[in-house]
């Protein structure tokens, strides 16, 4: 992928997230919260992952199970669990989970290598991910925010909840 196409894909993903974030704010709900939506949170705190092929010999999990796939893959391969949004090669934006290594390279244990062209998400610390999973039985930290009464939007994230891997979106 060329630098120009990567930049264009990132811009497309940011535009989509910005529009949805503005729509949530315009609804008049949650106006006193630091983040009015998951999209706004990801735009504010998210980091870019570098789309790369999954290393040879590593198995993918079942389709449509990205949160469970990424959670177990992160533990097995000592990687960082990430949740956010990804842009597919056909221009569809999807709530998604994946893993990153220390250099911010994406390990997507759900999608084929050619599906995701831009990844923007929040890399979560292993401790935060483990605590959430133990409490709620799921590693879907952002997109199941209702399980924790939207605390992540009402209060933001503790400093030890995230890992500084990848380039900041904002």
């Amino acid at each position: 992928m060329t630098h120009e196409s990567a930049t264009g894909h990132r811009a497309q993903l940011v535009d989509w997230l910005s529009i949805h974030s503005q729509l949530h704010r315009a609804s008049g709900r949650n106006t006193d919260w630091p983040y009015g939506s998951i999209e706004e949170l990801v735009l504010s705190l998210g980091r870019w992952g570098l789309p790369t092929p999954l290393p040879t010999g590593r198995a993918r999990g079942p389709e449509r199970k990205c949160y469970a796939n990424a959670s177990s893959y992160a533990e097995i391969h000592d990687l960082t669990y990430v949740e956010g949004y990804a842009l597919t090669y056909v221009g569809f934006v999807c709530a998604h989970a994946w893993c990153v290594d220390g250099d911010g390279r994406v390990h997507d244990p759900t999608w084929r290598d050619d599906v995701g062209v831009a990844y923007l998400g929040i890399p979560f610390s292993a401790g935060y991910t483990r605590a959430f999973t133990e409490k709620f039985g799921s590693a879907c930290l952002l997109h199941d925010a209702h399980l924790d009464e939207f605390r992540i939007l009402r209060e933001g994230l503790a400093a030890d909840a995230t890992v500084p891997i990848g380039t900041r979106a904002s």
Side-chain angles (χ1 to χ4, degrees):
M1 181 181 324
T2 67
H3 176 71
E4 291 80 23
S5 63
T7 300
H9 292 138
R10 286 181 174 189
Q12 186 177 352
L13 182 52
V14 166
D15 287 348
W16 188 95
L17 292 170
S18 296
I19 289 167
H20 284 79
S21 177
Q22 292 166 10
L23 289 171
H24 282 283
R25 283 292 179 186
S27 74
R29 292 176 294 177
N30 313 333
T31 56
D32 57 334
W33 293 1
Y35 305 103
S37 64
I38 299 301
E39 294 87 352
E40 185 178 347
L41 178 71
V42 170
L43 281 170
S44 180
L45 302 179
R47 293 178 175 269
W48 292 108
L50 303 170
T52 53
L54 201 63
T56 303
R58 294 203 179 164
R60 294 188 198 287
E63 292 182 19
R64 296 182 302 277
K65 301 286 184 188
C66 65
Y67 303 103
N69 292 343
S71 177
S72 62
Y73 190 92
E75 284 186 35
I76 292 167
H77 299 290
D78 195 28
L79 297 168
T80 300
Y81 176 80
V82 183
E83 278 188 35
Y85 294 89
L87 176 69
T88 68
Y89 70 98
V90 294
F92 181 73
V93 175
C94 185
H96 196 49
W98 59 93
C99 303
V100 292
D101 62 22
D103 294 322
R105 288 184 298 256
V106 171
H107 291 239
D108 190 333
T110 306
W111 289 351
R112 293 185 331 260
D113 292 335
D114 62 345
V115 173
V117 295
Y119 291 81
L120 181 60
I122 299 175
F124 288 98
S125 68
Y128 187 85
T129 303
R130 194 174 308 109
F132 189 94
T133 302
E134 287 172 3
K135 185 173 182 180
F136 298 107
S138 165
C140 190
L141 288 77
L142 294 180
H143 305 291
D144 274 348
H146 65 282
L147 295 176
D148 201 17
E149 299 176 4
F150 297 99
R151 184 182 54 80
I152 201 167
L153 299 178
R154 287 185 288 109
E155 300 173 11
L157 288 164
D160 64 348
T162 63
V163 180
I165 298 175
T167 306
R168 293 281 309 253
S170 55

